[in-house]
mmCIF file of all heavy atoms in Angstrom:
data_model
loop_
_atom_site.group_PDB
_atom_site.id
_atom_site.type_symbol
_atom_site.label_atom_id
_atom_site.label_comp_id
_atom_site.label_asym_id
_atom_site.label_seq_id
_atom_site.Cartn_x
_atom_site.Cartn_y
_atom_site.Cartn_z
ATOM 1 N N THR A 1 13.994 78.727 53.671
ATOM 2 C CA THR A 1 14.951 79.760 54.155
ATOM 3 C C THR A 1 15.171 79.565 55.627
ATOM 4 O O THR A 1 14.296 78.940 56.326
ATOM 5 C CB THR A 1 14.553 81.164 53.825
ATOM 6 O OG1 THR A 1 15.522 82.067 54.249
ATOM 7 C CG2 THR A 1 13.198 81.427 54.491
ATOM 8 N N ARG A 2 16.206 80.084 56.176
ATOM 9 C CA ARG A 2 16.521 80.136 57.561
ATOM 10 C C ARG A 2 16.287 81.598 58.089
ATOM 11 O O ARG A 2 16.394 81.881 59.287
ATOM 12 C CB ARG A 2 17.925 79.756 57.956
ATOM 13 C CG ARG A 2 18.105 78.300 57.963
ATOM 14 C CD ARG A 2 19.491 77.853 58.458
ATOM 15 N NE ARG A 2 19.558 76.468 58.561
ATOM 16 C CZ ARG A 2 19.276 75.758 59.697
ATOM 17 N NH1 ARG A 2 18.783 76.452 60.833
ATOM 18 N NH2 ARG A 2 19.383 74.479 59.823
ATOM 19 N N LEU A 3 15.840 82.512 57.232
ATOM 20 C CA LEU A 3 15.593 83.916 57.631
ATOM 21 C C LEU A 3 14.376 83.974 58.520
ATOM 22 O O LEU A 3 13.391 83.257 58.303
ATOM 23 C CB LEU A 3 15.354 84.776 56.372
ATOM 24 C CG LEU A 3 16.593 85.012 55.481
ATOM 25 C CD1 LEU A 3 16.139 85.761 54.284
ATOM 26 C CD2 LEU A 3 17.698 85.722 56.231
ATOM 27 N N PRO A 4 14.386 84.770 59.575
ATOM 28 C CA PRO A 4 13.195 84.956 60.390
ATOM 29 C C PRO A 4 12.048 85.635 59.614
ATOM 30 O O PRO A 4 12.329 86.342 58.697
ATOM 31 C CB PRO A 4 13.752 85.786 61.616
ATOM 32 C CG PRO A 4 14.878 86.556 61.059
ATOM 33 C CD PRO A 4 15.502 85.600 60.019
ATOM 34 N N LEU A 5 10.901 85.460 60.179
ATOM 35 C CA LEU A 5 9.676 85.978 59.487
ATOM 36 C C LEU A 5 9.738 87.541 59.246
ATOM 37 O O LEU A 5 9.319 88.020 58.210
ATOM 38 C CB LEU A 5 8.482 85.639 60.245
ATOM 39 C CG LEU A 5 7.101 85.813 59.469
ATOM 40 C CD1 LEU A 5 7.085 85.035 58.214
ATOM 41 C CD2 LEU A 5 5.937 85.446 60.393
ATOM 42 N N PRO A 6 10.210 88.337 60.181
ATOM 43 C CA PRO A 6 10.209 89.771 59.993
ATOM 44 C C PRO A 6 11.128 90.202 58.828
ATOM 45 O O PRO A 6 10.800 91.206 58.237
ATOM 46 C CB PRO A 6 10.858 90.343 61.327
ATOM 47 C CG PRO A 6 10.505 89.316 62.346
ATOM 48 C CD PRO A 6 10.541 87.978 61.639
ATOM 49 N N LYS A 7 12.084 89.410 58.402
ATOM 50 C CA LYS A 7 12.863 89.753 57.288
ATOM 51 C C LYS A 7 12.309 89.259 55.961
ATOM 52 O O LYS A 7 12.877 89.428 54.917
ATOM 53 C CB LYS A 7 14.295 89.167 57.440
ATOM 54 C CG LYS A 7 15.079 89.842 58.472
ATOM 55 C CD LYS A 7 16.540 89.260 58.556
ATOM 56 C CE LYS A 7 17.351 90.001 59.708
ATOM 57 N NZ LYS A 7 18.745 89.595 59.680
ATOM 58 N N LEU A 8 11.098 88.757 55.990
ATOM 59 C CA LEU A 8 10.514 88.193 54.813
ATOM 60 C C LEU A 8 9.133 88.895 54.445
ATOM 61 O O LEU A 8 8.382 88.443 53.629
ATOM 62 C CB LEU A 8 10.215 86.707 55.047
ATOM 63 C CG LEU A 8 11.366 85.813 55.307
ATOM 64 C CD1 LEU A 8 10.985 84.387 55.699
ATOM 65 C CD2 LEU A 8 12.336 85.686 54.043
ATOM 66 N N LEU A 9 8.990 90.059 55.138
ATOM 67 C CA LEU A 9 7.701 90.813 54.936
ATOM 68 C C LEU A 9 7.580 91.278 53.447
ATOM 69 O O LEU A 9 6.466 91.547 53.051
ATOM 70 C CB LEU A 9 7.543 91.942 55.908
ATOM 71 C CG LEU A 9 7.566 91.557 57.377
ATOM 72 C CD1 LEU A 9 7.451 92.696 58.248
ATOM 73 C CD2 LEU A 9 6.373 90.599 57.675
ATOM 74 N N HIS A 10 8.753 91.506 52.770
ATOM 75 C CA HIS A 10 8.622 91.984 51.432
ATOM 76 C C HIS A 10 8.064 91.036 50.489
ATOM 77 O O HIS A 10 7.628 91.281 49.331
ATOM 78 C CB HIS A 10 10.054 92.386 50.924
ATOM 79 C CG HIS A 10 11.034 91.267 50.942
ATOM 80 N ND1 HIS A 10 11.610 90.806 52.107
ATOM 81 C CD2 HIS A 10 11.536 90.546 49.937
ATOM 82 C CE1 HIS A 10 12.458 89.834 51.824
ATOM 83 N NE2 HIS A 10 12.430 89.627 50.534
ATOM 84 N N LEU A 11 7.875 89.759 50.897
ATOM 85 C CA LEU A 11 7.316 88.690 50.216
ATOM 86 C C LEU A 11 5.774 88.535 50.390
ATOM 87 O O LEU A 11 5.153 87.863 49.652
ATOM 88 C CB LEU A 11 7.956 87.307 50.433
ATOM 89 C CG LEU A 11 9.414 87.229 50.245
ATOM 90 C CD1 LEU A 11 9.917 85.778 50.710
ATOM 91 C CD2 LEU A 11 9.836 87.429 48.743
ATOM 92 N N GLN A 12 5.312 89.383 51.370
ATOM 93 C CA GLN A 12 3.969 89.187 51.778
ATOM 94 C C GLN A 12 2.893 89.411 50.647
ATOM 95 O O GLN A 12 1.964 88.706 50.519
ATOM 96 C CB GLN A 12 3.609 90.138 52.880
ATOM 97 C CG GLN A 12 2.186 90.200 53.404
ATOM 98 C CD GLN A 12 2.023 91.192 54.459
ATOM 99 O OE1 GLN A 12 2.855 91.325 55.377
ATOM 100 N NE2 GLN A 12 0.895 91.887 54.379
ATOM 101 N N ARG A 13 3.105 90.488 49.888
ATOM 102 C CA ARG A 13 2.118 90.869 48.864
ATOM 103 C C ARG A 13 1.990 89.737 47.759
ATOM 104 O O ARG A 13 0.863 89.383 47.368
ATOM 105 C CB ARG A 13 2.577 92.170 48.183
ATOM 106 C CG ARG A 13 1.546 92.625 47.123
ATOM 107 C CD ARG A 13 1.992 93.985 46.499
ATOM 108 N NE ARG A 13 1.120 94.421 45.465
ATOM 109 C CZ ARG A 13 1.335 95.468 44.697
ATOM 110 N NH1 ARG A 13 2.363 96.198 44.869
ATOM 111 N NH2 ARG A 13 0.470 95.826 43.782
ATOM 112 N N THR A 14 3.177 89.294 47.340
ATOM 113 C CA THR A 14 3.132 88.191 46.326
ATOM 114 C C THR A 14 2.537 86.918 46.873
ATOM 115 O O THR A 14 1.631 86.347 46.287
ATOM 116 C CB THR A 14 4.539 87.870 45.816
ATOM 117 O OG1 THR A 14 5.074 89.140 45.297
ATOM 118 C CG2 THR A 14 4.530 86.888 44.702
ATOM 119 N N PHE A 15 2.986 86.482 48.060
ATOM 120 C CA PHE A 15 2.519 85.253 48.663
ATOM 121 C C PHE A 15 1.042 85.179 49.031
ATOM 122 O O PHE A 15 0.333 84.200 48.933
ATOM 123 C CB PHE A 15 3.410 84.917 49.846
ATOM 124 C CG PHE A 15 4.769 84.363 49.508
ATOM 125 C CD1 PHE A 15 5.348 84.615 48.210
ATOM 126 C CD2 PHE A 15 5.496 83.628 50.430
ATOM 127 C CE1 PHE A 15 6.556 84.126 47.900
ATOM 128 C CE2 PHE A 15 6.763 83.178 50.092
ATOM 129 C CZ PHE A 15 7.288 83.367 48.818
ATOM 130 N N SER A 16 0.586 86.369 49.448
ATOM 131 C CA SER A 16 -0.836 86.427 49.866
ATOM 132 C C SER A 16 -1.801 86.289 48.676
ATOM 133 O O SER A 16 -2.948 86.022 48.889
ATOM 134 C CB SER A 16 -1.111 87.715 50.578
ATOM 135 O OG SER A 16 -0.900 88.830 49.710
ATOM 136 N N LYS A 17 -1.315 86.470 47.508
ATOM 137 C CA LYS A 17 -2.143 86.458 46.246
ATOM 138 C C LYS A 17 -1.997 85.175 45.467
ATOM 139 O O LYS A 17 -2.608 84.990 44.444
ATOM 140 C CB LYS A 17 -1.857 87.616 45.427
ATOM 141 C CG LYS A 17 -2.217 89.028 46.035
ATOM 142 C CD LYS A 17 -1.944 90.075 45.080
ATOM 143 C CE LYS A 17 -2.282 91.476 45.694
ATOM 144 N NZ LYS A 17 -1.952 92.608 44.768
ATOM 145 N N MET A 18 -1.207 84.240 45.944
ATOM 146 C CA MET A 18 -0.947 83.024 45.108
ATOM 147 C C MET A 18 -0.789 81.788 45.987
ATOM 148 O O MET A 18 -0.932 81.830 47.261
ATOM 149 C CB MET A 18 0.275 83.238 44.219
ATOM 150 C CG MET A 18 1.593 83.400 45.043
ATOM 151 S SD MET A 18 2.983 83.233 43.997
ATOM 152 C CE MET A 18 2.726 81.732 43.235
ATOM 153 N N ASN A 19 -0.621 80.644 45.403
ATOM 154 C CA ASN A 19 -0.497 79.409 45.961
ATOM 155 C C ASN A 19 0.883 79.259 46.530
ATOM 156 O O ASN A 19 1.733 78.396 45.959
ATOM 157 C CB ASN A 19 -0.882 78.279 45.004
ATOM 158 C CG ASN A 19 -1.415 77.100 45.670
ATOM 159 O OD1 ASN A 19 -1.508 77.007 46.906
ATOM 160 N ND2 ASN A 19 -1.864 76.123 44.884
ATOM 161 N N ALA A 20 1.306 79.855 47.597
ATOM 162 C CA ALA A 20 2.662 79.912 48.037
ATOM 163 C C ALA A 20 2.753 79.621 49.494
ATOM 164 O O ALA A 20 1.806 79.847 50.298
ATOM 165 C CB ALA A 20 3.313 81.272 47.809
ATOM 166 N N MET A 21 3.888 79.150 49.908
ATOM 167 C CA MET A 21 4.099 78.842 51.310
ATOM 168 C C MET A 21 5.612 79.008 51.665
ATOM 169 O O MET A 21 6.493 78.710 50.956
ATOM 170 C CB MET A 21 3.733 77.429 51.653
ATOM 171 C CG MET A 21 3.749 77.020 53.111
ATOM 172 S SD MET A 21 2.811 75.544 53.509
ATOM 173 C CE MET A 21 3.726 74.310 52.421
ATOM 174 N N LEU A 22 5.848 79.629 52.804
ATOM 175 C CA LEU A 22 7.243 79.771 53.386
ATOM 176 C C LEU A 22 7.578 78.540 54.182
ATOM 177 O O LEU A 22 6.771 78.071 55.005
ATOM 178 C CB LEU A 22 7.358 80.995 54.230
ATOM 179 C CG LEU A 22 7.457 82.357 53.550
ATOM 180 C CD1 LEU A 22 7.187 83.486 54.619
ATOM 181 C CD2 LEU A 22 8.771 82.539 52.927
ATOM 182 N N VAL A 23 8.773 78.041 53.929
ATOM 183 C CA VAL A 23 9.283 76.956 54.798
ATOM 184 C C VAL A 23 10.437 77.506 55.583
ATOM 185 O O VAL A 23 11.507 77.791 55.050
ATOM 186 C CB VAL A 23 9.709 75.729 54.010
ATOM 187 C CG1 VAL A 23 10.301 74.623 54.863
ATOM 188 C CG2 VAL A 23 8.592 75.225 53.092
ATOM 189 N N ILE A 24 10.240 77.766 56.877
ATOM 190 C CA ILE A 24 11.277 78.405 57.711
ATOM 191 C C ILE A 24 11.950 77.333 58.499
ATOM 192 O O ILE A 24 11.315 76.759 59.408
ATOM 193 C CB ILE A 24 10.647 79.504 58.562
ATOM 194 C CG1 ILE A 24 9.934 80.547 57.700
ATOM 195 C CG2 ILE A 24 11.680 80.163 59.423
ATOM 196 C CD1 ILE A 24 9.221 81.653 58.523
ATOM 197 N N SER A 25 13.233 77.174 58.309
ATOM 198 C CA SER A 25 14.017 76.205 59.013
ATOM 199 C C SER A 25 14.733 76.844 60.145
ATOM 200 O O SER A 25 15.498 77.821 60.026
ATOM 201 C CB SER A 25 15.036 75.513 58.024
ATOM 202 O OG SER A 25 15.863 74.572 58.735
ATOM 203 N N SER A 26 14.486 76.368 61.362
ATOM 204 C CA SER A 26 15.249 76.878 62.503
ATOM 205 C C SER A 26 15.333 75.811 63.555
ATOM 206 O O SER A 26 14.594 74.732 63.569
ATOM 207 C CB SER A 26 14.473 78.117 63.127
ATOM 208 O OG SER A 26 13.220 77.744 63.660
ATOM 209 N N ASP A 27 16.237 76.004 64.503
ATOM 210 C CA ASP A 27 16.430 75.000 65.633
ATOM 211 C C ASP A 27 15.559 75.241 66.754
ATOM 212 O O ASP A 27 15.519 74.437 67.730
ATOM 213 C CB ASP A 27 17.916 75.060 66.071
ATOM 214 C CG ASP A 27 18.812 74.656 64.945
ATOM 215 O OD1 ASP A 27 18.464 73.749 64.169
ATOM 216 O OD2 ASP A 27 19.906 75.148 64.873
ATOM 217 N N ASN A 28 14.840 76.357 66.768
ATOM 218 C CA ASN A 28 13.935 76.661 67.960
ATOM 219 C C ASN A 28 12.497 76.792 67.416
ATOM 220 O O ASN A 28 12.272 77.201 66.310
ATOM 221 C CB ASN A 28 14.412 77.989 68.601
ATOM 222 C CG ASN A 28 15.758 77.912 69.155
ATOM 223 O OD1 ASN A 28 16.137 76.925 69.826
ATOM 224 N ND2 ASN A 28 16.650 78.859 68.789
ATOM 225 N N ASP A 29 11.593 76.526 68.320
ATOM 226 C CA ASP A 29 10.211 76.716 68.032
ATOM 227 C C ASP A 29 9.793 78.115 67.796
ATOM 228 O O ASP A 29 10.229 79.031 68.595
ATOM 229 C CB ASP A 29 9.322 76.124 69.143
ATOM 230 C CG ASP A 29 7.828 75.944 68.758
ATOM 231 O OD1 ASP A 29 7.485 76.479 67.726
ATOM 232 O OD2 ASP A 29 7.126 75.332 69.493
ATOM 233 N N LEU A 30 9.107 78.437 66.688
ATOM 234 C CA LEU A 30 8.762 79.835 66.451
ATOM 235 C C LEU A 30 7.616 80.340 67.301
ATOM 236 O O LEU A 30 7.388 81.495 67.369
ATOM 237 C CB LEU A 30 8.297 79.882 64.976
ATOM 238 C CG LEU A 30 9.336 79.625 63.895
ATOM 239 C CD1 LEU A 30 8.765 79.705 62.507
ATOM 240 C CD2 LEU A 30 10.536 80.618 64.019
ATOM 241 N N GLY A 31 6.859 79.453 67.998
ATOM 242 C CA GLY A 31 5.755 79.913 68.693
ATOM 243 C C GLY A 31 4.581 80.166 67.765
ATOM 244 O O GLY A 31 4.630 79.885 66.540
ATOM 245 N N ASN A 32 3.496 80.730 68.283
ATOM 246 C CA ASN A 32 2.409 81.054 67.408
ATOM 247 C C ASN A 32 2.663 82.291 66.649
ATOM 248 O O ASN A 32 3.214 83.235 67.147
ATOM 249 C CB ASN A 32 1.075 81.213 68.301
ATOM 250 C CG ASN A 32 0.705 79.939 68.986
ATOM 251 O OD1 ASN A 32 0.801 78.893 68.401
ATOM 252 N ND2 ASN A 32 0.126 80.008 70.233
ATOM 253 N N ILE A 33 2.247 82.248 65.382
ATOM 254 C CA ILE A 33 2.407 83.394 64.530
ATOM 255 C C ILE A 33 1.028 84.146 64.397
ATOM 256 O O ILE A 33 0.012 83.530 63.961
ATOM 257 C CB ILE A 33 2.877 83.023 63.083
ATOM 258 C CG1 ILE A 33 4.193 82.289 63.261
ATOM 259 C CG2 ILE A 33 2.947 84.167 62.173
ATOM 260 C CD1 ILE A 33 4.698 81.700 61.941
ATOM 261 N N SER A 34 1.013 85.390 64.765
ATOM 262 C CA SER A 34 -0.278 86.109 64.851
ATOM 263 C C SER A 34 -0.585 86.619 63.385
ATOM 264 O O SER A 34 0.182 87.322 62.812
ATOM 265 C CB SER A 34 -0.160 87.312 65.737
ATOM 266 O OG SER A 34 -1.225 88.163 65.598
ATOM 267 N N PRO A 35 -1.739 86.232 62.904
ATOM 268 C CA PRO A 35 -2.155 86.690 61.515
ATOM 269 C C PRO A 35 -2.203 88.251 61.437
ATOM 270 O O PRO A 35 -1.923 88.847 60.477
ATOM 271 C CB PRO A 35 -3.449 86.060 61.247
ATOM 272 C CG PRO A 35 -3.492 84.924 62.174
ATOM 273 C CD PRO A 35 -2.769 85.288 63.376
ATOM 274 N N ARG A 36 -2.610 88.888 62.545
ATOM 275 C CA ARG A 36 -2.755 90.366 62.521
ATOM 276 C C ARG A 36 -1.325 91.090 62.545
ATOM 277 O O ARG A 36 -1.139 92.010 61.840
ATOM 278 C CB ARG A 36 -3.593 90.834 63.751
ATOM 279 C CG ARG A 36 -5.044 90.399 63.581
ATOM 280 C CD ARG A 36 -5.820 91.044 64.753
ATOM 281 N NE ARG A 36 -7.243 90.692 64.664
ATOM 282 C CZ ARG A 36 -8.183 91.093 65.562
ATOM 283 N NH1 ARG A 36 -7.806 91.913 66.568
ATOM 284 N NH2 ARG A 36 -9.410 90.754 65.442
ATOM 285 N N GLU A 37 -0.398 90.538 63.351
ATOM 286 C CA GLU A 37 0.799 91.240 63.527
ATOM 287 C C GLU A 37 1.770 90.920 62.305
ATOM 288 O O GLU A 37 2.412 91.763 61.733
ATOM 289 C CB GLU A 37 1.516 90.872 64.811
ATOM 290 C CG GLU A 37 0.690 91.313 66.044
ATOM 291 C CD GLU A 37 1.317 90.900 67.357
ATOM 292 O OE1 GLU A 37 2.382 90.243 67.224
ATOM 293 O OE2 GLU A 37 0.840 91.207 68.357
ATOM 294 N N ALA A 38 1.905 89.676 61.962
ATOM 295 C CA ALA A 38 2.874 89.243 60.924
ATOM 296 C C ALA A 38 2.192 88.941 59.645
ATOM 297 O O ALA A 38 2.945 88.695 58.648
ATOM 298 C CB ALA A 38 3.615 88.056 61.423
ATOM 299 N N GLN A 39 0.862 89.012 59.549
ATOM 300 C CA GLN A 39 0.168 88.715 58.268
ATOM 301 C C GLN A 39 0.619 87.302 57.841
ATOM 302 O O GLN A 39 0.818 87.138 56.591
ATOM 303 C CB GLN A 39 0.462 89.740 57.264
ATOM 304 C CG GLN A 39 -0.104 91.126 57.644
ATOM 305 C CD GLN A 39 -1.626 91.124 57.812
ATOM 306 O OE1 GLN A 39 -2.354 90.662 56.932
ATOM 307 N NE2 GLN A 39 -2.183 91.584 58.903
ATOM 308 N N ALA A 40 0.810 86.337 58.720
ATOM 309 C CA ALA A 40 1.216 85.007 58.316
ATOM 310 C C ALA A 40 0.524 84.067 59.179
ATOM 311 O O ALA A 40 0.167 84.322 60.374
ATOM 312 C CB ALA A 40 2.714 84.840 58.474
ATOM 313 N N LEU A 41 0.286 82.820 58.731
ATOM 314 C CA LEU A 41 -0.373 81.789 59.447
ATOM 315 C C LEU A 41 0.397 80.528 59.322
ATOM 316 O O LEU A 41 0.639 80.041 58.232
ATOM 317 C CB LEU A 41 -1.846 81.602 58.937
ATOM 318 C CG LEU A 41 -2.615 80.455 59.602
ATOM 319 C CD1 LEU A 41 -2.891 80.735 61.046
ATOM 320 C CD2 LEU A 41 -3.950 80.264 58.767
ATOM 321 N N ARG A 42 0.875 79.979 60.440
ATOM 322 C CA ARG A 42 1.519 78.710 60.396
ATOM 323 C C ARG A 42 0.597 77.630 60.179
ATOM 324 O O ARG A 42 -0.286 77.377 61.121
ATOM 325 C CB ARG A 42 2.374 78.551 61.655
ATOM 326 C CG ARG A 42 3.307 77.314 61.544
ATOM 327 C CD ARG A 42 4.259 77.193 62.693
ATOM 328 N NE ARG A 42 3.600 76.927 64.001
ATOM 329 C CZ ARG A 42 4.219 76.794 65.167
ATOM 330 N NH1 ARG A 42 5.553 76.919 65.136
ATOM 331 N NH2 ARG A 42 3.571 76.542 66.276
ATOM 332 N N VAL A 43 0.679 76.907 59.233
ATOM 333 C CA VAL A 43 -0.264 75.722 58.889
ATOM 334 C C VAL A 43 0.310 74.387 59.366
ATOM 335 O O VAL A 43 -0.437 73.475 59.573
ATOM 336 C CB VAL A 43 -0.620 75.695 57.396
ATOM 337 C CG1 VAL A 43 -1.365 76.884 57.001
ATOM 338 C CG2 VAL A 43 0.708 75.477 56.546
ATOM 339 N N ALA A 44 1.630 74.319 59.500
ATOM 340 C CA ALA A 44 2.200 73.039 59.884
ATOM 341 C C ALA A 44 3.619 73.131 60.406
ATOM 342 O O ALA A 44 4.254 74.197 60.234
ATOM 343 C CB ALA A 44 2.166 72.043 58.726
ATOM 344 N N SER A 45 4.073 72.099 61.034
ATOM 345 C CA SER A 45 5.479 72.060 61.417
ATOM 346 C C SER A 45 6.012 70.687 60.945
ATOM 347 O O SER A 45 5.292 69.776 60.670
ATOM 348 C CB SER A 45 5.729 72.221 62.946
ATOM 349 O OG SER A 45 5.032 71.168 63.658
ATOM 350 N N TRP A 46 7.371 70.541 60.839
ATOM 351 C CA TRP A 46 7.955 69.294 60.412
ATOM 352 C C TRP A 46 9.170 69.009 61.277
ATOM 353 O O TRP A 46 10.010 69.929 61.653
ATOM 354 C CB TRP A 46 8.357 69.456 58.938
ATOM 355 C CG TRP A 46 9.027 68.177 58.380
ATOM 356 C CD1 TRP A 46 8.442 67.245 57.703
ATOM 357 C CD2 TRP A 46 10.450 67.827 58.443
ATOM 358 N NE1 TRP A 46 9.327 66.228 57.368
ATOM 359 C CE2 TRP A 46 10.541 66.589 57.702
ATOM 360 C CE3 TRP A 46 11.575 68.428 58.953
ATOM 361 C CZ2 TRP A 46 11.806 65.945 57.643
ATOM 362 C CZ3 TRP A 46 12.832 67.757 58.876
ATOM 363 C CH2 TRP A 46 12.853 66.549 58.150
ATOM 364 N N THR A 47 9.311 67.783 61.728
ATOM 365 C CA THR A 47 10.514 67.191 62.357
ATOM 366 C C THR A 47 10.810 65.864 61.740
ATOM 367 O O THR A 47 9.998 65.173 61.150
ATOM 368 C CB THR A 47 10.204 66.989 63.865
ATOM 369 O OG1 THR A 47 9.161 66.071 64.050
ATOM 370 C CG2 THR A 47 9.838 68.324 64.546
ATOM 371 N N PRO A 48 12.125 65.504 61.762
ATOM 372 C CA PRO A 48 12.534 64.222 61.185
ATOM 373 C C PRO A 48 11.789 63.024 61.786
ATOM 374 O O PRO A 48 11.505 62.095 61.052
ATOM 375 C CB PRO A 48 14.040 64.083 61.458
ATOM 376 C CG PRO A 48 14.463 65.532 61.700
ATOM 377 C CD PRO A 48 13.292 66.233 62.411
#
């Protein structure tokens, strides 16, 4: 998705309990994602 992380919080409960990963496509660096604030952890980035 291209949606920012704050608009994806409704997926948090499902994703935290299963083998799932968000792939957020954007033209700008997201910076560090705080596990406490966003309940998300960026594990990798991808560039062509």
Side-chain angles (χ1 to χ4, degrees):
T1 184
R2 283 187 172 272
L3 293 175
L5 193 60
K7 292 187 177 182
L8 300 169
L9 296 181
H10 59 285
L11 302 176
Q12 174 182 321
R13 181 179 178 184
T14 303
F15 281 21
S16 64
K17 295 180 179 179
M18 63 168 304
N19 207 354
M21 187 164 61
L22 282 168
V23 179
I24 302 176
S25 177
S26 66
D27 295 327
N28 301 310
D29 193 348
L30 295 178
N32 293 325
I33 299 175
S34 169
R36 291 186 178 181
E37 295 178 1
Q39 296 299 310
L41 175 65
R42 185 172 69 178
V43 295
S45 61
W46 181 92
T47 60

